[in-house]
Amino acid sequence: MLDFIYYPVSWILWFWHRVFGFVFGADNGASWALAVVFLVFTLRLVLYKPFVRQVRTTKQMQELQPQIKELQKKYKNDRQKMATEMQKLQKENGFNPLMGCLPILAQVPVFLGLFHVLRSFNRTGHGIGQLGMSAYDNAHTPNYVFSATDVQSFLSARIFGAPISAFITAPASELQAFADWGGVPSKLSIALVAIPLMIIASIATHFNARASVARQTPEAAANPQAAIMNKLALWVFPLGVLVGGPFLPIAILLYWVSNNIWTYGQQHLVFGRMEQEELAKKQAKLDQRSQNAPKPGAKPVDTRKKPQQAAADTEEPASTNGSEPSAKPAAKAAGKSSGQKRPGGQKRPANRGRANQKRRR
């Protein structure tokens, strides 16, 4: 049903086993362990650009939190209008919520595919995904792209005495599949390898979540949904690794540890580059301001016009067109001032003559 996942995972694991098997030997536990680790690295390298987009989307989401809160407050009684305005806001800012969860969603099928492929090296159980084969049939049946010889090599591989596909709660009947290929492992030998990996994976999950939460803005951290997710990432997920670890094969625990190590280093790399980009933008703005500022010792130039200069500028076009437009207002002003003056130099009211004429009449 999910062969489109199982086969690609098998091919990548097969390739890295061939690479490290050439160095350490095909049946060496280190070859299979490193093949699982580099399977993780290959996947994360393919998902590097989507991870960068995820980080930028998360940061953009934090920057848009004040506007989102305003929309939620403004349209709290109209959910349809709120959804429309939210989509409009996301479109204007080029925000795609799907990019925030794409890398995580892409890792889920790979995790399930690797879990199934590793469990399929030992198909003697009767649980989900098991075929109930005998130990002999299991060792002589290919597993996807792995031949029967590869299956026997996997059963023979040991890490400190524990098979890479064994888990702490494995039934004794399933452990019999290793009898002819290195001997039946003890639960103690499996626990001595699995428990330290569980603890490391749990601690690494916690510190990755802490690094991510520390980079959140106060507005984003104050969001109730974000606060719940932060608590889940900080405490519930790491605890889930400890609780579910006894049911996971050692190879899956190796996958979990190496995935967290890659995530921790990748976060520091990506966030470091983003901080450098922000510092470069701030420096560019400061440089632009310093270029526009006056040089030391130079008198600043006032680009605003004084009132007298502005009035003179408005009168200049009228005088340049000819002397007639400017002469007429001057003549009117002279006539008014000369005709309305008394002998004593006092001004005569404009309507004085008309009043006297009425009285004479």
Side-chain angles (χ1 to χ4, degrees):
M1 182 178 179
L2 297 177
D3 288 347
F4 68 96
I5 296 175
Y6 301 149
Y7 275 98
V9 170
S10 299
W11 276 115
I12 297 173
L13 187 64
W14 177 89
F15 170 78
W16 286 115
H17 174 253
R18 286 293 182 272
V19 172
F20 292 106
F22 179 77
V23 179
F24 301 104
D27 298 341
N28 195 309
S31 300
W32 286 102
L34 289 173
V36 173
V37 171
F38 275 80
L39 168 67
V40 178
F41 293 168
T42 303
L43 168 68
R44 297 305 302 272
L45 191 62
V46 171
L47 294 176
Y48 176 76
K49 287 187 177 180
F51 176 81
V52 175
R53 292 180 183 176
Q54 175 195 2
V55 173
R56 294 187 184 277
T57 300
T58 304
K59 185 179 179 182
Q60 192 177 15
M61 183 68 178
Q62 295 174 5
E63 293 174 352
L64 293 176
Q65 276 299 320
Q67 300 180 43
I68 293 174
K69 287 183 178 180
E70 290 180 2
L71 292 177
Q72 291 174 347
K73 184 178 180 180
K74 186 177 180 180
Y75 302 105
K76 61 181 179 180
N77 297 326
D78 191 350
R79 293 188 175 274
Q80 185 176 1
K81 183 66 174 177
M82 183 193 298
T84 304
E85 292 296 325
M86 289 282 287
Q87 292 177 358
K88 183 178 178 181
L89 178 66
Q90 294 172 3
K91 186 176 181 180
E92 290 176 352
N93 293 272
F95 176 74
N96 187 1
L98 183 61
M99 294 306 302
C101 54
L102 180 60
I104 298 176
L105 293 176
Q107 292 183 55
V108 172
V110 175
F111 176 83
L112 296 176
L114 179 62
F115 180 82
H116 178 76
V117 170
L118 292 175
R119 286 293 305 272
S120 296
F121 280 105
N122 186 358
R123 292 150 288 188
T124 58
H126 297 276
I128 298 174
Q130 296 293 296
L131 301 177
M133 292 183 175
S134 64
Y136 180 85
D137 291 339
N138 176 70
H140 293 82
T141 303
N143 179 25
Y144 293 100
V145 302
F146 293 97
S147 64
T149 304
D150 294 330
V151 173
Q152 297 168 14
S153 172
F154 189 89
L155 295 173
S156 302
R158 297 288 190 275
I159 299 178
F160 300 107
I164 196 172
S165 64
F167 52 100
I168 296 175
T169 58
S173 59
E174 290 189 27
L175 296 179
Q176 292 296 323
F178 302 97
D180 296 334
W181 314 101
V184 178
S186 65
K187 291 291 185 73
L188 178 61
S189 63
I190 299 172
L192 290 176
V193 177
I195 291 176
L197 290 175
M198 291 161 48
I199 296 173
I200 294 171
S202 179
I203 294 174
T205 303
H206 173 77
F207 276 100
N208 276 332
R210 175 176 289 186
S212 179
V213 171
R215 293 185 175 92
Q216 292 180 355
T217 60
E219 293 81 4
N223 190 354
Q225 295 179 353
I228 294 174
M229 290 302 300
N230 291 341
K231 290 181 180 179
L232 289 174
L234 285 170
W235 307 110
V236 177
F237 293 163
L239 183 62
V241 178
L242 292 176
V243 173
F247 302 92
L248 298 176
I250 292 175
I252 293 293
L253 295 175
L254 283 171
Y255 171 92
W256 202 283
V257 171
S258 55
N259 187 54
N260 278 280
I261 292 173
W262 179 279
T263 301
Y264 190 80
Q266 187 171 258
Q267 278 187 348
H268 282 273
L269 176 64
V270 173
F271 282 109
R273 288 184 176 179
M274 292 179 64
E275 290 176 359
Q276 291 178 0
E277 290 176 1
E278 292 180 357
L279 290 175
K281 290 180 181 178
K282 291 180 180 178
Q283 187 63 35
K285 291 181 179 179
L286 293 175
D287 293 341
Q288 187 175 3
R289 289 180 182 178
S290 62
Q291 290 177 1
N292 296 333
K295 297 180 180 180
K299 185 178 180 180
V301 179
D302 190 1
T303 57
R304 296 176 298 178
K305 293 183 178 180
K306 296 180 180 179
Q308 296 178 356
Q309 185 179 357
D313 292 343
T314 55
E315 291 178 359
E316 284 179 359
S319 61
T320 55
N321 292 333
S323 59
E324 293 180 359
S326 59
K328 289 181 180 179
K332 288 182 179 180
K336 289 181 181 179
S337 61
S338 61
Q340 294 180 358
K341 284 187 179 180
R342 292 184 178 183
Q346 299 178 354
K347 290 185 178 180
R348 182 179 177 179
N351 60 352
R352 180 68 178 270
R354 295 179 182 177
N356 293 337
Q357 291 175 1
K358 289 180 181 181
R359 288 177 185 176
R360 288 177 186 175
R361 290 177 185 174

